[in-house]
Each structure stands twice: as C-alpha cells, then as structure tokens.
Coordinates of all heavy atoms in Angstrom, one line a residue:
P1 N 111.1 81.7 114.7 CA 111.7 80.7 115.5 C 110.6 79.7 116.1 O 109.6 80.2 116.5 CB 112.4 81.5 116.6 CG 112.5 82.9 116.1 CD 111.4 83.1 115.2
G2 N 110.9 78.5 116.1 CA 110.0 77.5 116.6 C 108.8 77.2 115.6 O 107.9 76.5 115.9
G3 N 108.9 77.7 114.4 CA 107.9 77.4 113.4 C 106.7 78.3 113.3 O 105.9 78.2 112.4
G4 N 106.5 79.1 114.4 CA 105.4 80.0 114.4 C 105.5 81.2 113.5 O 106.6 81.5 113.0
R5 N 104.5 81.9 113.3 CA 104.6 83.2 112.5 C 105.1 84.3 113.3 O 104.8 84.4 114.5 CB 103.2 83.5 111.9 CG 102.6 82.5 111.0 CD 103.2 82.5 109.7 NE 102.6 81.5 108.8 CZ 103.3 80.9 107.9 NH1 104.5 81.2 107.7 NH2 102.7 80.0 107.1
L6 N 105.9 85.2 112.7 CA 106.4 86.3 113.4 C 105.3 87.4 113.6 O 104.4 87.6 112.7 CB 107.5 87.0 112.6 CG 108.8 86.1 112.5 CD1 109.8 86.8 111.5 CD2 109.4 85.9 113.8
P7 N 105.2 88.0 114.7 CA 104.2 89.1 114.9 C 104.5 90.3 114.0 O 105.6 90.5 113.7 CB 104.3 89.4 116.4 CG 105.7 89.1 116.7 CD 106.1 87.9 115.9
P8 N 103.5 91.1 113.7 CA 103.7 92.3 112.9 C 104.6 93.2 113.7 O 104.6 93.2 114.9 CB 102.3 92.8 112.6 CG 101.5 92.2 113.7 CD 102.1 90.9 114.1
P9 N 105.4 94.1 113.0 CA 106.2 95.0 113.7 C 105.3 96.0 114.5 O 104.2 96.4 114.0 CB 107.0 95.7 112.6 CG 106.3 95.5 111.4 CD 105.5 94.2 111.6
P10 N 105.8 96.6 115.6 CA 105.0 97.5 116.4 C 104.8 98.8 115.6 O 105.7 99.2 114.8 CB 105.8 97.8 117.6 CG 107.2 97.4 117.3 CD 107.1 96.3 116.2
S11 N 103.7 99.4 115.7 CA 103.4 100.7 115.1 C 104.1 101.8 115.8 O 104.3 101.9 117.0 CB 101.9 101.0 115.1 OG 101.2 100.0 114.4
A12 N 104.6 102.8 115.0 CA 105.3 104.0 115.5 C 104.2 104.9 116.0 O 103.2 105.1 115.4 CB 106.2 104.6 114.5
S13 N 104.5 105.6 117.1 CA 103.6 106.6 117.6 C 103.8 107.9 116.8 O 104.9 108.1 116.2 CB 103.8 106.8 119.1 OG 105.0 107.4 119.3
A14 N 102.9 108.8 116.9 CA 102.9 110.1 116.2 C 104.1 110.9 116.6 O 104.6 111.7 115.8 CB 101.6 110.8 116.4
D15 N 104.6 110.8 117.8 CA 105.7 111.7 118.3 C 107.1 111.1 118.0 O 108.1 111.7 118.3 CB 105.6 112.0 119.7 CG 105.6 110.8 120.6 OD1 105.4 109.7 120.1 OD2 105.9 110.9 121.8
E16 N 107.2 109.9 117.4 CA 108.5 109.3 117.1 C 108.9 109.8 115.7 O 108.2 109.9 114.8 CB 108.4 107.8 117.0 CG 108.1 107.2 118.4 CD 108.1 105.7 118.4 OE1 109.1 105.1 117.7 OE2 107.2 105.1 118.9
T17 N 110.2 110.1 115.6 CA 110.8 110.5 114.3 C 112.1 109.8 114.0 O 112.7 109.2 114.9 CB 111.1 112.1 114.3 OG1 112.1 112.3 115.4 CG2 109.9 112.9 114.6
V18 N 112.4 109.7 112.8 CA 113.7 109.1 112.3 C 114.4 110.1 111.5 O 113.8 110.7 110.6 CB 113.4 107.8 111.5 CG1 114.7 107.2 111.0 CG2 112.6 106.8 112.4
A19 N 115.7 110.3 111.8 CA 116.5 111.2 111.0 C 117.5 110.3 110.2 O 118.2 109.5 110.8 CB 117.2 112.2 111.9
L20 N 117.6 110.6 108.9 CA 118.6 109.9 108.1 C 119.8 110.8 107.8 O 119.6 112.0 107.6 CB 117.9 109.5 106.7 CG 116.8 108.5 106.8 CD1 116.2 108.3 105.4 CD2 117.1 107.2 107.4
S21 N 121.0 110.2 107.7 CA 122.1 110.9 107.4 C 122.1 111.3 105.9 O 121.3 110.7 105.2 CB 123.4 110.1 107.7 OG 123.5 109.0 106.8
S22 N 122.9 112.2 105.5 CA 122.9 112.5 104.0 C 123.3 111.3 103.2 O 122.8 111.1 102.1 CB 123.8 113.7 103.8 OG 125.1 113.4 104.1
R23 N 124.2 110.5 103.7 CA 124.6 109.3 103.0 C 123.4 108.3 102.9 O 123.2 107.7 101.8 CB 125.8 108.6 103.7 CG 126.3 107.4 102.9 CD 127.5 106.8 103.5 NE 128.6 107.6 103.0 CZ 129.8 107.4 103.4 NH1 130.1 106.5 104.2 NH2 130.8 108.2 102.9
A24 N 122.7 108.1 103.9 CA 121.5 107.2 103.9 C 120.5 107.7 102.9 O 119.9 107.0 102.2 CB 121.0 107.1 105.3
S25 N 120.3 109.0 102.9 CA 119.3 109.6 102.0 C 119.8 109.4 100.6 O 119.0 109.1 99.7 CB 119.1 111.1 102.3 OG 118.6 111.3 103.5
L26 N 121.1 109.6 100.3 CA 121.6 109.4 99.0 C 121.5 107.9 98.6 O 121.1 107.6 97.4 CB 123.1 109.8 99.0 CG 123.8 109.7 97.6 CD1 123.1 110.6 96.6 CD2 125.3 110.1 97.8
L27 N 121.7 107.0 99.5 CA 121.6 105.6 99.2 C 120.1 105.2 98.9 O 119.8 104.4 98.0 CB 122.1 104.7 100.3 CG 123.6 104.7 100.4 CD1 124.0 104.0 101.7 CD2 124.3 104.0 99.2
A28 N 119.2 105.8 99.7 CA 117.8 105.6 99.4 C 117.4 106.1 98.1 O 116.6 105.4 97.4 CB 117.0 106.2 100.6
R29 N 117.8 107.2 97.7 CA 117.5 107.8 96.4 C 118.1 106.9 95.3 O 117.4 106.6 94.2 CB 118.0 109.2 96.3 CG 117.8 109.8 94.9 CD 116.3 110.1 94.7 NE 116.2 110.7 93.3 CZ 115.3 110.3 92.4 NH1 114.5 109.3 92.7 NH2 115.2 110.8 91.3
A30 N 119.3 106.5 95.4 CA 120.0 105.6 94.4 C 119.2 104.3 94.3 O 119.0 103.8 93.2 CB 121.4 105.3 94.8
E31 N 118.8 103.7 95.4 CA 118.0 102.5 95.4 C 116.6 102.7 94.6 O 116.2 101.9 93.8 CB 117.7 102.0 96.8 CG 116.9 100.7 96.8 CD 116.7 100.1 98.2 OE1 116.8 100.9 99.2 OE2 116.4 98.9 98.3
Q32 N 116.0 103.8 94.9 CA 114.7 104.2 94.2 C 115.0 104.3 92.7 O 114.2 103.7 91.9 CB 114.2 105.5 94.8 CG 112.9 105.9 94.1 CD 112.4 107.2 94.6 OE1 113.1 107.9 95.4 NE2 111.3 107.7 94.1
M33 N 116.1 104.9 92.3 CA 116.4 105.1 90.9 C 116.7 103.7 90.2 O 116.2 103.5 89.1 CB 117.5 106.0 90.7 CG 117.2 107.5 91.1 SD 118.6 108.6 91.1 CE 119.0 108.6 89.3
M34 N 117.4 102.9 91.0 CA 117.7 101.5 90.4 C 116.4 100.7 90.2 O 116.3 100.0 89.3 CB 118.7 100.8 91.4 CG 120.0 101.4 91.5 SD 121.2 100.8 90.4 CE 121.1 99.1 90.5
N35 N 115.5 100.9 91.1 CA 114.2 100.1 91.0 C 113.4 100.6 89.9 O 112.5 99.8 89.4 CB 113.4 100.2 92.3 CG 114.1 99.4 93.5 OD1 114.8 98.5 93.2 ND2 113.8 99.9 94.7
E36 N 113.6 101.8 89.4 CA 112.8 102.3 88.3 C 113.4 101.9 86.9 O 112.7 102.0 85.9 CB 112.8 103.8 88.3 CG 112.0 104.4 89.5 CD 112.2 105.9 89.7 OE1 112.9 106.5 88.9 OE2 111.6 106.4 90.7

C-alpha cells in the first residue's frame, strides 16, 4: 500500500507450532503431487 515494498514476514520462534487438520494435510499432499 502506498507504493512501498512490503516488509518480510515475521520469523516464527522455536516454541511456535502449527497443527494441520487431516483435510489440510490431504490437500497439501494433493497439491504437491499436482506440482510433480
């Protein structure tokens, strides 16, 4: 916005985790297979 460059995304700390649902994992695998 305003024509400037966007800052890089913040780095995750070592104690942060992300959990994916089984559907999200399945979609991620399907996307990986499609890219191949």
